């Protein structure tokens, strides 16, 4: 009897994706197998700085206070990305391979793809929660990478990293992102894919959407949009309403992104798992479970209570207060 997957473990139930050291070590193993003899020093430093940034110990920044886009999400995605990179490198001819430098850039970009949610102590004084940046957090992440990469001695990666991070968001038209080397575009496809599949394969994805993503959507102006003075467009009435609309999102938006925008690069995962794809399997399970709940109307089936991995102690209470006050203002 295999052990039930734990809430803060990856899809294979082997890596604790709430623990930066555990994910760093798992990525190191993949990197060393894929690029024998290559230095892991810069990636080690990037993991160290990622942990400092999200826990509020990075100079000038407050720490992570977004409950859906928490530390576990980024670590889960970064592990998925490293696996996709390893699968890709093992299945293409040498001229098409990314190589260690490009792979390193993609992994570092993954670690900081949600850095834009983290408030700066002086520049962001007018904001009370990172979720307020929802609609433009990717551009802020790109800005962070522009400042951060030169400190790591990787100024050469700034141009590409600050573009490919946009494959994790909806701020730019992905078809308009032009890069000279097709391998850089491929890194963008791998990043966007890792971001989607890691989230939706999370054991507690459904609970997190209802209880956390909805809250971020309210604070970020996505759930209810202030179209003009006194005019509101309500996209999601509640966390439950967000979940009711998730199967359509999966069918129309997510599959289109994975298959067409990102060119089905999720299939490189199969190289590591004997032709299986544990991420896609877990996503199907989540969506099937959700459809069953919607059809039966039995919402008590969503009872997992996953931990939150944040940098600010009061973040959960703060975002709950913000959501309540904003929803009251709309009424």
């Amino acid at each position: 009897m295999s052990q039930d997957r734990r809430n803060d473990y990856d899809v294979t139930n082997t890596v604790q994706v709430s623990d930066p050291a555990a994910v760093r070590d798992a990525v190191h193993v993949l990197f060393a197998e894929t690029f024998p003899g290559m230095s892991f020093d810069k990636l080690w430093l990037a993991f160290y700085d990622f942990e400092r940034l999200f826990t509020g110990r990075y100079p000038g920044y407050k720490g992570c206070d977004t409950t859906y886009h928490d530390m576990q999400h980024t670590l889960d995605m970064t592990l998925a990305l490293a696996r996709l990179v390893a699968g890709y490198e093992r299945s293409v001819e040498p001229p098409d391979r990314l190589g260690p430098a490009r792979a390193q850039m993609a992994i570092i970009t993954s670690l900081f793809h949600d850095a834009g949610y983290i408030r700066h102590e002086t520049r962001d004084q007018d904001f009370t929660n990172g979720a307020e940046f929802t609609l433009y957090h990717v551009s802020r992440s790109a800005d962070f990478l522009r400042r951060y990469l030169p400190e790591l001695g990787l100024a050469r990666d700034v141009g590409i990293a600050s573009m490919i991070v946009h494959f994790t968001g909806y701020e730019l038209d992905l078809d308009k992102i032009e890069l000279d080397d097709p391998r850089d575009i491929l890194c963008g496809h791998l990043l966007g894919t890792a971001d989607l599949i890691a989230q939706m394969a999370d054991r507690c994805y459904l609970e997190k959407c209802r209880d956390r993503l909805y809250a971020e959507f309210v604070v970020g102006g996505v759930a209810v949009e202030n179209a003009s003075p006194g005019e509101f467009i309500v996209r999601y009435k509640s966390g439950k309403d967000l979940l009711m609309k998730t199967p359509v999102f999966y069918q129309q938006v997510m599959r289109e992104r994975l298959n067409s925008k990102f060119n089905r690069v999720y299939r490189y995962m199969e190289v590591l798992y004997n032709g299986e794809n544990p991420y896609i399997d877990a996503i199907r399970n989540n969506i099937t479970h959700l459809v069953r709940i919607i059809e039966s109307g039995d919402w008590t089936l969503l009872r997992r209570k996953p931990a939150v991995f944040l940098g600010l102690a009061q973040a959960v209470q703060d975002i709950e207060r913000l959501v309540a006050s904003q929803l009251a203002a709309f009424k």
Side-chain angles (χ1 to χ4, degrees):
M1 172 72 188
S2 69
Q3 182 186 12
D4 259 356
R5 181 176 163 198
R6 292 156 285 187
N7 287 350
D8 63 336
Y9 274 69
D10 75 308
V11 284
T12 67
N13 199 30
T14 57
V15 182
Q16 188 175 6
V17 286
S18 58
D19 177 5
V23 174
R24 180 196 68 212
D25 293 347
V27 170
H28 189 186
V29 168
L30 285 161
F31 197 82
E33 286 171 355
T34 310
F35 308 108
M38 295 310 298
S39 167
F40 195 73
D41 291 357
K42 294 216 189 305
L43 283 168
W44 196 99
L45 270 173
F47 271 96
Y48 173 72
D49 287 334
F50 157 79
E51 184 174 5
R52 289 201 302 158
L53 179 67
F54 273 65
T55 55
R57 295 187 327 232
Y58 193 86
Y61 288 86
K62 291 205 179 261
C64 173
D65 59 7
T66 42
T67 51
Y68 181 85
H69 292 96
D70 67 348
M71 195 152 74
Q72 178 180 328
H73 159 63
T74 290
L75 290 168
D76 205 357
M77 165 185 168
T78 302
L79 177 61
L81 175 80
R83 287 169 170 165
L84 285 171
V85 166
Y88 174 78
E89 293 293 270
R90 287 167 207 192
S91 43
V92 299
E93 295 300 316
D96 296 325
R97 285 181 197 153
L98 301 175
R102 196 176 263 107
Q104 172 180 274
M105 173 197 66
I107 294 167
I108 294 170
T109 304
S110 176
L111 280 170
F112 296 103
H113 82 284
D114 277 345
Y117 280 114
I118 294 179
R119 288 179 293 147
H120 191 270
E121 282 172 352
T122 51
R123 289 194 295 270
D124 299 325
Q125 281 175 332
D126 297 341
F127 299 90
T128 47
N129 186 274
E132 292 174 82
F133 307 125
T134 297
L135 291 170
Y136 53 98
H137 77 276
V138 185
S139 295
R140 286 171 51 94
S141 300
D143 288 341
F144 181 89
L145 285 162
R146 285 189 196 98
R147 290 189 295 271
Y148 175 69
L149 287 168
E151 291 174 21
L152 211 54
L154 296 172
R156 61 162 198 258
D157 288 338
V158 164
I160 307 291
S162 61
M163 286 305 290
I164 63 171
V165 71
H166 278 283
F167 283 92
T168 68
Y170 298 84
E171 291 167 43
L172 292 187
D173 179 348
L174 301 183
D175 296 328
K176 296 211 169 92
I177 296 179
E178 290 186 3
L179 296 164
D180 294 335
D181 195 310
R183 290 172 297 179
D184 293 327
I185 290 279
L186 180 89
C187 283
H189 291 165
L190 294 171
L191 272 170
T193 298
D195 189 28
L196 274 179
I197 64 175
Q199 285 180 65
M200 294 189 77
D202 187 309
R203 182 170 189 263
C204 304
Y205 172 65
L206 302 177
E207 286 90 348
K208 286 180 178 180
C209 282
R210 179 191 63 190
D211 304 333
R212 300 179 189 176
L213 186 60
Y214 175 70
E216 288 188 23
F217 278 178
V218 171
V219 174
V222 176
V224 184
E225 186 189 339
N226 195 343
S228 57
E231 292 276 315
F232 299 108
I233 298 168
V234 180
R235 284 201 189 85
Y236 306 111
K237 295 196 286 284
S238 62
K240 184 173 151 186
D241 186 41
L242 172 64
L243 279 182
M244 299 279 284
K245 290 169 176 160
T246 295
V248 172
F249 166 78
Y250 169 69
Q251 290 292 348
Q252 293 176 1
V253 179
M254 154 132 185
R255 288 176 67 175
E256 203 264 331
R257 268 175 103 79
L258 288 178
N259 292 318
S260 131
K261 297 276 190 215
F262 302 153
N263 204 20
R264 293 177 52 239
V265 296
Y266 58 80
R267 64 191 186 276
Y268 294 116
M269 202 63 85
E270 295 160 17
V271 181
L272 305 186
Y273 299 102
N274 302 319
E276 304 283 313
N277 193 325
Y279 288 87
I280 300 300
D281 292 345
I283 292 168
R284 285 205 188 104
N285 287 343
N286 276 337
I287 297 297
T288 304
H289 185 48
L290 174 58
V291 169
R292 201 180 298 127
I293 290 166
I294 292 170
E295 287 174 352
S296 70
D298 186 1
W299 293 89
T300 63
L301 292 169
L302 289 186
R303 49 181 174 263
R304 288 173 182 156
K305 293 197 169 23
V308 188
F309 299 93
L310 302 168
L312 298 177
Q314 284 300 306
V316 176
Q317 293 84 344
D318 288 348
I319 199 165
E320 281 170 2
R321 272 201 301 276
L322 267 177
V323 169
S325 71
Q326 261 177 279
L327 290 176
F330 293 134
K331 290 196 175 73

